[in-house]
Amino acid sequence: MQNKRQLLVETALQLFYQHGVNSIGINEVIKHSGIAKKTLYNYFASKEELVLATLAERHQRFINWLTAQLSDCHSNRELAEKLFSGLDLWFHNKADSLGNFRGCFFINTAAEFGDPSSAIHQACLQHKRAVEALIAAHMPQPNTALLSLLCILKEGAIVCAYVNHQPDAARQSLQALLPLLHD
Amino acid sequence: MQNKRQLLVETALQLFYQHGVNSIGINEVIKHSGIAKKTLYNYFASKEELVLATLAERHQRFINWLTAQLSDCHSNRELAEKLFSGLDLWFHNKADSLGNFRGCFFINTAAEFGDPSSAIHQACLQHKRAVEALIAAHMPQPNTALLSLLCILKEGAIVCAYVNHQPDAARQSLQALLPLLHD
DNA sequence: ACAAAAGGAGACAGAGTTGTCTACTCTAAA
DNA sequence: TTTAGAGTAGACAACTCTGTCTCCTTTTGT
């Protein structure tokens, strides 16, 4: 029954995202999921593997959400509007599938696992690359400079919303960006 | 002899910034500084106090550096240029007083200590507020929308440079920003 | 129905952590 | 010179965390 595994990943993702990976021990995941430790170690060889599975789950969920947000863009301006409107919803806890906003799981986790050669850090990097590629794929008029700017503003808005307690950062970004986009 | 305390803070800051606070134990700080554990606990009641002291040290150092970078701005455009040129130097390890670039110590530490009520998280928030105030103080033509944008771009550039291995993020930000600024 | 696999509960080993404490050494001032 | 304060070295207690293992129960496939 593979939904034990799914339940473990879901529980761990929730806890890791809300409190940080290093603050949550295996026993906490056990307790909250109601699954035995032995079962966990049946599915995952180590905590690191569980963490990687939660990153993969979050990655897929975020990509799905973002894909839905960015559908049907007919101009770069529309793309920017949809991107930052989506972020704005997320920051205000109106993006159900992303859970309670606590910054970017990948930025936070990369900060906890600083060694760039670690598998966890690499997974965070790969996520960011994939998101950039997804935005690029939804760009009607390819423009690498604009792509970079969107990504930088996106990361900045996430950090400001989280660390700086500035949940309107996405809207502010969009307001500042719009005068640049005339197409 | 208070330079024992200073040496402890400096050693801890270096280690915490390079590897993350939770990855570095007290014993590591002891070993690298050559100072006895008892002496450390003479100056600091707990590891948390040592962490707060390193945050304060880094804060002062960053504020000093940024103040120097932003001196003598006669227009908002010049302010933006100086800000992102400074960040560009930092990302390329050419800002001596900030050490080897490993992202923003405060963003990273806030990610490790996610509980917003913890003293450590609060210190990170206060730093961000102080930096925003410093930028505001160097703005010849007050403009709160631009101030927000500068801060969001700054955070985004730091995250992209670090997590995304994109050290030119500051230059890209500036290039994108310049068309907006005509004064 | 019954054997085999999967799961539950939790004890336990081993490593690592913070923080305390003791015993010894060095230094600086009276 | 001697005495008090500061520092050193490191053992140690108390705790936490990961990962293993055992014993027992439940579920599942044939």
Side-chain angles (χ1 to χ4, degrees), chain B residues 24-27 37-38 41 45-48:
Chain B
I24 296 295
I26 289 293
N27 293 319
K37 196 184 279 195
K38 181 158 194 217
Y41 280 99
S46 63
K47 184 185 179 183
E48 184 181 28

